[in-house]
Amino acid sequence: MPKKNLYIETYGCQMNEYDSDRITAALDAVVTDDPKRADVIIVNTCAIRDKADQKAFSSLGKYKHIKAKNPDVIVGVAGCVAQLYGDSMLKRMPHLDFVLGPRAIPKLPEIISDIERKKIRTVETSYDIEELFDVEPYHKAGEVTGFVSVQQGCNKRCTYCIVPYVRGDEVNRALEDIITETENLVNKGVREITFIGQTVNSWKQKGYKFGDLLRAAGDIEDLERIRFTTSYPRDITKRMIDAMKDVPQICPHIHLPVQSGSNDVLSKMNRTYSREWFVDTVNRLRDEIADFAISTDIIVGFPGETDKDFEETMTLLEEIRFESAFSFIYSPRPGTPAAEISGDECVEKEVASTRLAQLQQRQSDITFENNNNRVGTIEEVLVEGPSKKNENFVTGRTTQNRITNFMGPQALIGSVVKVKITEGLQNSIRGELVV
Ligand code: 5AD
């Protein structure tokens, strides 16, 4: 049978990107960038905030006409929105053939063949725990970096977050399977892997802890760099820090969401740490690991957030000086405890927008200053590809995760080179190849 043409649109986190590659592999499909040429169209969705959720419906709406013209094309929704709304999506969108929860990817080939043979519409949001990690992602030839999932689901219960409800409780993957998948990628030319999990550093399995997994990855030959995301603050352990100190391939960078600088808000969010504890932990990481970088996520406008609470988030930016921060306005999500809060507790939309703008302005200045502080240093850059803007330039990232552009031949792609930093920009830095 000829391979199917798959058009897949992906929203949301790295786990969704990874899952889209698993979907591609599960179907043994050829990816097309033209939905009109596709045999199967899939939108892999994100439910983290209302906006992302709405985006799923508007994206799917676009394929109504294609389905009307060609009833044989199979249109499906995957990811967290699929899990959240289940069969109500089939009712709402008559052109949809299937709804697939994020844990049900291994069942996809059977679902597609059932649709083809029996012309039935399907909702699959259940899963077999033994199969959870069964499909390894499709790997695009020539890619220098890759993700490896080490965990699915989440055992934390942050009161704003929908993830545990759509991705389920934490399930950790076997160490041997993680290492084998990583080795397979390295054999295909990948130089840098990022272990991914909702709270990646809470990974544990058969007596092994996250630090042990990092060390095991450090023993893989020809693997230049090891990263991981996203870390949960309270699961940072000595074993993890020691591994980061001892294994030179582990990049000195952590993405560590703080969410708020106010203890009242942190407690209402059920983040299980205080501002002071977070600052101490960051200081400890910076003391122990040389030239350490930290990025974060922040939510503004959480129910009950006062001007004073927000001010505490602003002072935290000064105290920590994150390399970068992703920030969001709180969005109530169905089924989460925080979504039950209503009335006076809720922060007005305009207030939240003003706070977000203020926070983003300050952080963008800090990021710019931090980027400029690198000028004059010589950094190791893993070259990932041609630069988008200039054909004589290549692009890569420093160990601290800064995007770096510099003049150099495409032949450098896949190698680690030394670059002298000459200029700090808003979202990246520029440099010169050191020869
Ligand atoms: N509203 C706004 N932002 C959210 N995040 C998670 N849930 C919500 C929500 N309900 C943010 C957090 C998290 C990031 C991935 O998305 O900052 O770290």
Side-chain angles (χ1 to χ4, degrees):
M1 249 202 356
K3 290 195 180 198
K4 287 194 169 43
N5 280 330
L6 169 69
Y7 178 81
I8 186 160
E9 220 173 285
T10 309
Y11 296 95
C13 63
Q14 283 115 332
M15 195 61 88
N16 261 15
E17 285 177 40
Y18 182 83
D19 281 349
S20 285
D21 288 341
R22 286 175 72 219
I23 287 171
T24 307
L27 296 179
D28 190 23
V30 178
V31 175
T32 166
D33 55 10
D34 180 1
K36 292 197 198 78
R37 287 171 187 263
D39 304 303
V40 181
I41 296 175
I42 299 179
V43 180
N44 192 8
T45 58
C46 168
I48 198 92
R49 283 169 293 275
D50 186 54
K51 247 192 210 155
D53 179 323
Q54 292 311 313
K55 182 96 197 147
F57 288 95
S58 63
S59 296
L60 283 163
K62 289 188 298 196
Y63 304 118
K64 209 159 112 185
H65 303 294
I66 295 183
K67 180 79 177 176
K69 271 197 193 142
N70 172 14
D72 287 340
V73 66
I74 296 173
V75 181
V77 57
C80 295
V81 171
Q83 185 74 32
L84 180 62
Y85 299 116
D87 57 16
S88 72
M89 293 196 80
L90 287 189
K91 295 200 188 87
R92 194 166 151 183
M93 304 197 140
H95 67 291
L96 260 191
D97 293 293
F98 70 88
V99 177
L100 181 81
R103 288 165 293 183
I105 291 172
K107 298 185 194 295
L108 185 56
E110 209 183 309
I111 292 171
I112 299 278
S113 95
D114 279 356
I115 295 172
E116 284 173 335
R117 283 186 297 121
K118 305 183 206 153
K119 302 282 170 213
I120 46 161
R121 303 169 82 203
T122 316
V123 177
E124 185 55 272
T125 50
S126 67
Y127 65 103
D128 294 327
I129 199 147
E130 298 78 29
E131 290 190 340
L132 212 47
F133 294 99
D134 263 11
V135 185
E136 287 196 11
Y138 162 78
H139 170 75
K140 199 164 152 211
E143 271 182 2
V144 173
T145 62
F147 296 131
V148 176
S149 166
V150 306
Q151 171 187 74
Q152 290 194 42
C154 184
N155 277 353
K156 314 299 177 194
R157 290 295 179 267
C158 305
T159 55
Y160 51 80
C161 188
I162 199 168
V163 168
Y165 307 96
V166 286
R167 286 192 175 264
D169 283 339
E170 179 182 304
V171 181
N172 289 301
R173 190 180 188 185
L175 184 131
E176 309 77 57
D177 294 350
I178 297 168
I179 297 301
T180 305
E181 186 171 316
T182 308
E183 284 170 342
N184 291 343
L185 285 175
V186 172
N187 291 336
K188 289 175 184 159
V190 167
R191 300 271 81 100
E192 173 187 300
I193 55 108
T194 303
F195 288 145
I196 53 172
Q198 302 299 336
T199 56
V200 70
N201 59 325
S202 70
W203 180 91
K204 56 177 184 297
Q205 222 262 336
K206 290 189 183 152
Y208 295 118
K209 297 282 174 56
F210 187 63
D212 306 318
L213 175 62
L214 290 177
R215 282 184 198 272
D219 290 337
I220 298 176
E221 223 170 296
D222 294 330
L223 176 58
E224 289 283 349
R225 285 182 170 184
I226 302 162
R227 298 185 190 274
F228 51 87
T229 199
T230 289
S231 293
Y232 184 74
R234 278 285 297 273
D235 289 324
I236 291 175
T237 59
K238 182 173 182 320
R239 217 192 275 204
M240 170 181 167
I241 297 177
D242 285 347
M244 293 183 78
K245 269 161 57 173
D246 294 347
V247 180
Q249 299 96 311
I250 301 175
C251 291
H253 167 245
I254 196 167
H255 185 67
L256 197 66
V258 64
Q259 311 297 6
S260 171
S262 150
N263 283 336
D264 283 348
V265 174
L266 287 171
S267 151
K268 286 178 194 159
M269 288 176 164
N270 192 29
R271 285 296 286 177
T272 71
Y273 53 82
S274 66
R275 172 200 178 108
E276 294 73 25
W277 183 93
F278 188 91
V279 170
D280 283 350
T281 303
V282 170
N283 288 340
R284 186 170 150 213
L285 287 163
R286 283 177 167 164
D287 285 348
E288 299 221 31
I289 303 162
D291 208 18
F292 195 69
I294 167 167
S295 53
T296 200
D297 292 342
I298 294 172
I299 297 173
V300 300
F302 189 77
E305 185 186 70
T306 61
D307 284 343
K308 187 174 157 286
D309 291 323
F310 174 65
E311 217 25 67
E312 283 167 7
T313 299
M314 291 299 288
T315 60
L316 188 74
L317 293 190
E318 306 303 329
E319 195 170 352
I320 295 195
R321 292 183 64 86
F322 298 102
E323 320 303 319
S324 63
F326 298 101
S327 44
F328 316 95
I329 293 178
Y330 166 70
S331 165
R333 304 310 293 135
T336 60
E340 303 292 310
I341 307 169
S342 59
D344 286 354
E345 281 276 305
C346 296
V347 176
E348 276 173 44
K349 223 171 161 235
E350 300 78 67
V351 174
S353 300
T354 309
R355 286 179 187 167
L356 184 72
Q358 195 185 334
L359 182 132
Q360 289 185 336
Q361 182 55 56
R362 185 61 198 122
Q363 180 57 46
S364 106
D365 290 346
I366 293 172
T367 300
F368 185 69
E369 286 157 21
N370 279 338
N371 286 348
N372 265 291
N373 287 340
R374 306 308 290 186
V375 172
T377 60
I378 291 176
E379 310 235 6
E380 288 195 346
V381 174
L382 170 62
V383 187
E384 291 175 23
S387 169
K388 282 190 201 113
K389 286 188 192 137
N390 187 327
E391 59 184 35
N392 296 321
F393 276 56
V394 286
T395 188
R397 275 169 303 141
T398 64
T399 57
Q400 288 196 329
N401 214 29
R402 281 191 181 80
I403 295 170
T404 311
N405 293 294
F406 60 98
M407 196 189 284
Q410 314 268 313
L412 292 179
I413 294 168
S415 48
V416 173
V417 294
K418 286 197 161 54
V419 175
K420 184 168 181 190
I421 307 308
T422 53
E423 197 183 352
L425 305 170
Q426 191 54 64
N427 298 311
S428 63
I429 53 180
R430 281 207 188 120
E432 284 163 3
L433 186 62
V434 177
V435 278

